[in-house]
Structures are given as C-alpha cells and as structure tokens.
Amino acid sequence: MEMEFSPEELAFQQEVRTFIAENYPAQLRGKQDEGDELSKEDFLAWHKVLYEKGWIAPAWPVEYGGTGWTPTQRFIFSEETARAECVKLMPFGLTMVGPVIYTFGTPEQKARFLPRILSGEDWWCQGYSEPGAGSDLASLRTAAVREGDEYIVNGQKTWTTLAQHADWGFFLVRTNKDAKPQEGISFLLIDMKTPGITVRPIITLGGEHEVNEVFLENVRVPADQLVYEENKGWTCAKFLLAHERTGIAGVASSKRGLEKVKEIARTEVDGDKPLLSNAFFKRKVAELEIDLTALEFTELRGLAGPNANKGPGPESSLLKIKGSEIQQRLTELTLEAVGHYGAPYFRGFDEGDNAHPIGPDYAHRAAPTYFNMRKTTIYGGSNEIQRGIIAKMVLGL
C-alpha cells in the first residue's frame, strides 16, 4: 500500500483546503466557537455550499450525482473537512437511504428522491429501532397492511435522530407476521407530514433535543413508496447498516479530536507542569493515538484493497467497534483534561440565561459531548452484535 500522496493528490488536497477556507459559512464558525446548538438551517448551509460545488455526494456513482473521485480523494476530502472542523453533513439522506434508493429503487423513485437528497430539499430520518427492537432489529413490530394502492402503518419507533426536522423518513415495517422475522420486513419511504404521525422529543443526558419517539397511527403510505420487494426489506436494511457502520468509525474527526485533547493538555496544568507531562495522562493519550493509527490503517487498507469499489462488507463491523470505542475514550480524556470546568452546570443557570459560562471556551461542551457519545457503542447495531457478525461472517465461526 502506497502511503504517500501523489502530486495530483496533493494538488487535490490543496484545492479542498482552499475551498473550505474561502467558502465555509462564517455564521457556522461563530456558532461552533460559542458551542451553540445548530439549527436545521445551519446544517443545510454547508450542505448547500457543497451541493453548488458538486461535492455533496463523493461516494455516489457519477450517473446519480457523485463526484467520480477515487477512494483516496474521498479520504482526503474527509480528512480536510475534519481538520477544518466543518459541521458534519446529515448522513440519513446522503450515506444511508440515498445508496439504498439508487441500488434497489425503481427508476421513478430514483428520479423523485435522489435530486432532492442532493440539494438538501428533503431532510430524512431513520425509522429502525423500536422500544422492543434495537440491536435485535428483526423483532420489530411496526406493521404495514396492504389495502389497494396503499399501506396502512401502525406502530412506534424510537431514538429517531432529528425527526423533528425531517421531511421524509425511511422505515422498516412488518408486512408478513407469519414469516421468519427477517423475511417478513419491508422498506417504506414515508412523508413525515402524513396524518397519523406524531413526533415526541427525548431529551438526552447532554440536555439536547437530538432524538425522538415517532408514533404511527393508521398512516397511509402509497404503495409506490415501497423500496425493492415486499417482505425483502431486510436486504435493504443490511445494505444500509453497512454504510452506516462505516461512517460511524469517524477516523478523520477522531484525529482532530485527539489533537484538541493534546492542545487542552498543554494548556491545563497538573501542579506546576502541563497536564500532558503527567505520565499517567500521557500514557492514555499515547495508547489512544496508537489505536487510532491502527484504525486509520485498517480503513486505508480497505480503500486500497480489491473490494474498494464494491461497497462496505462485514469489515464495517470492525470499523464500527473500534471507531465508536475510540470516540468514547476521546470524550473521557477531554473531560478529564478540563477538570471541574467540565461540570455541565457551569454552562448557565437556566435555559436562556445570558451569563457567560465559567472556565475556558474549550470546556463548555466537554460534559455534554461525553454524555452524548455514550450512544456510539449502541447505535448502528451494538458492539456486542458487531462482534457476532465478525465471528460469523469474517472468522467463519
């Protein structure tokens, strides 16, 4: 595997770096520096800039609006956006349902949905998990019954990220209760404005309204919004989850996070010396950096391997496990580094309070981020489930 970028790749890296510097929305940088919660419009601001440039979907096939970049160019783009701390693009349309639609959808579905995913006109959410069906997703009970040209959907989904903003959702529903669990599931695209849909907030440990419960009561869904075949939705679900798990690895953003931990530890003191000179803390940083480097090389091997253009396979489970564990360790180290300034109570006394937070700016989000990242080893299929996939599909046990 060639570890040095070619002159052409270095030129591309500089092009990306220059474009970000000149075009990243200034209002986002201001909000991010203050640690303010980003709105739907904030997320879409950067999305639309990349869309206008033609860089919004690097991994999509060119015929559907992709860039035609090589795997290495996609890696460079990911590295540069993380280095510049660009706001993350919402994955639900671009890296989850979009690939499902252009792989399994009808020509009419591709023409209807893909352009609006690219432009940001449609914001998507994911209706997979249920109160009794999380990592054991095949046990889901939300039901869809065919009546003429429609499905009537009843059930409940939970942990639905940013559903309060969503225009559309992709839902797994049971269409055959008598079949084996995986064989009776279908994949439906549902307009979130359809009568019978109720979205209720779940406030997380970090104090954010990020996830929701979604209730569906006699929701009528046109049958032409079924993707692939009835009762074959598990095929779509597995395909989508492989893409999700690869994205969860987050190598580029973790590399930037590690640099920030080091910057904090050089500023914070332990006695009369920088925290980074503390042998125990320094060892934790070194161990984390070793693991992150190993994960990066694993990802690079995938980019350079013979299956690089065939989409993610079972190896995505390995990336998900290690990537999510590294993200949690990063937030733990950050919280440890900022010390008592990381206490969540120091953000303000009440919601809407205009008192300036106590402590350095880098400490304000340490605790909320730590609490929020407890989820990474659970969502996308818990890490215990991923180890089972590796044992069966990779090791053949």
Side-chain angles (χ1 to χ4, degrees):
M1 182 171 66
E2 180 58 57
M3 293 308 301
E4 297 294 330
F5 291 143
S6 69
E8 294 78 15
E9 290 162 347
L10 289 172
F12 175 75
Q13 181 185 53
Q14 187 57 51
E15 179 187 2
V16 173
R17 190 171 296 181
T18 300
F19 178 80
I20 294 171
E22 294 177 352
N23 294 278
Y24 190 71
Q27 73 272 20
L28 291 185
R29 182 65 66 202
K31 277 196 169 185
Q32 289 171 275
D33 291 343
E34 291 296 321
D36 294 336
E37 187 172 342
L38 298 178
S39 67
K40 178 179 181 179
E41 290 70 27
D42 292 328
F43 284 109
L44 289 175
W46 180 227
H47 181 119
K48 291 176 180 177
V49 168
L50 292 174
Y51 171 68
E52 293 297 329
K53 179 66 172 174
W55 287 0
I56 193 60
W60 285 28
V62 173
E63 61 266 34
Y64 298 122
T67 58
W69 290 345
T70 66
T72 302
Q73 286 177 306
R74 297 202 300 267
F75 175 80
I76 289 171
F77 181 75
S78 175
E79 287 276 302
E80 290 303 311
T81 52
R83 187 191 68 83
E85 297 187 295
C86 297
V87 64
K88 291 183 179 180
L89 300 173
M90 288 297 101
F92 307 107
L94 291 171
T95 60
M96 296 168 73
V97 74
V100 168
I101 292 172
Y102 67 62
T103 302
F104 298 100
T106 64
E108 293 77 16
Q109 289 170 341
K110 296 174 187 178
R112 179 182 180 185
F113 294 108
L114 295 182
R116 295 176 64 88
I117 291 173
L118 293 173
S119 67
E121 292 174 81
D122 288 339
W123 179 297
W124 288 78
C125 66
Q126 178 185 29
Y128 270 31
S129 294
E130 299 183 3
S135 292
D136 182 19
L137 188 57
S139 65
L140 65 88
R141 294 190 296 175
T142 295
V145 178
R146 181 74 178 260
E147 289 188 4
D149 293 332
E150 294 180 317
Y151 286 96
I152 311 301
V153 182
N154 285 278
Q156 178 186 355
K157 298 293 182 177
T158 193
W159 312 122
T160 313
T161 302
L162 299 177
Q164 71 270 28
H165 299 321
D167 304 296
W168 284 82
F170 50 95
F171 287 76
L172 289 182
V173 296
R174 185 160 302 285
T175 43
N176 185 346
K177 60 183 175 63
D178 297 320
K180 293 181 179 180
Q182 289 91 340
E183 296 176 4
I185 292 172
S186 297
F187 192 101
L188 286 181
L189 310 178
I190 302 180
D191 186 337
M192 293 296 288
K193 298 182 293 296
T194 307
I197 296 179
T198 302
V199 178
R200 296 180 186 172
I202 300 173
I203 304 304
T204 64
L205 280 171
E208 302 98 345
H209 176 195
E210 181 183 16
V211 290
N212 303 270
E213 295 177 289
V214 177
F215 297 86
L216 304 101
E217 185 176 0
N218 294 323
V219 176
R220 292 185 169 271
V221 180
D224 63 4
Q225 289 167 205
L226 169 75
V227 178
Y228 199 39
E229 301 174 21
E230 186 173 286
N231 299 322
K232 299 295 184 182
W234 195 248
T235 299
C236 300
K238 290 190 297 181
F239 176 87
L240 185 149
L241 284 169
H243 281 76
E244 180 184 8
R245 289 163 186 160
T246 302
I248 290 171
V251 172
S253 58
S254 288
K255 287 175 67 177
R256 176 56 188 142
L258 182 60
E259 289 304 313
K260 293 180 75 172
V261 168
K262 292 180 180 179
E263 292 167 10
I264 293 170
R266 292 187 187 102
T267 303
E268 294 295 316
V269 295
D270 176 40
D272 59 351
K273 295 180 180 180
L275 176 61
L276 195 57
S277 65
N278 178 290
F280 294 103
F281 189 86
K282 194 174 185 177
R283 176 173 178 168
K284 292 178 185 178
V285 172
E287 289 174 342
L288 183 58
E289 188 161 16
I290 290 168
D291 286 349
L292 181 54
T293 300
L295 182 63
E296 181 180 20
F297 273 71
T298 301
E299 186 175 61
L300 287 170
R301 279 198 300 271
L303 292 176
N307 296 319
N309 294 313
K310 297 182 180 179
E315 69 275 5
S316 63
S317 293
L318 187 150
L319 293 173
K320 194 272 178 179
I321 291 169
K322 296 303 298 183
S324 59
E325 291 176 348
I326 285 170
Q327 289 163 26
Q328 290 185 346
R329 288 163 61 192
L330 267 172
T331 63
E332 291 165 7
L333 274 180
T334 303
L335 194 58
E336 181 178 347
V338 302
H340 60 275
Y341 286 126
Y345 314 104
F346 290 169
R347 178 62 188 159
F349 296 103
D350 296 295
E351 185 176 352
D353 192 339
N354 63 0
H356 194 279
I358 301 170
D361 290 343
Y362 54 69
H364 301 163
R365 293 293 303 167
T369 303
Y370 166 82
F371 289 129
N372 187 278
M373 296 301 279
R374 298 305 92 196
K375 68 190 179 187
T376 62
T377 50
I378 301 173
Y379 68 39
S382 71
N383 285 11
E384 290 80 4
I385 295 293
Q386 302 317 306
R387 290 184 173 91
I389 292 173
I390 291 171
K392 180 179 180 181
M393 303 299 294
V394 178
L395 302 178
L397 299 178

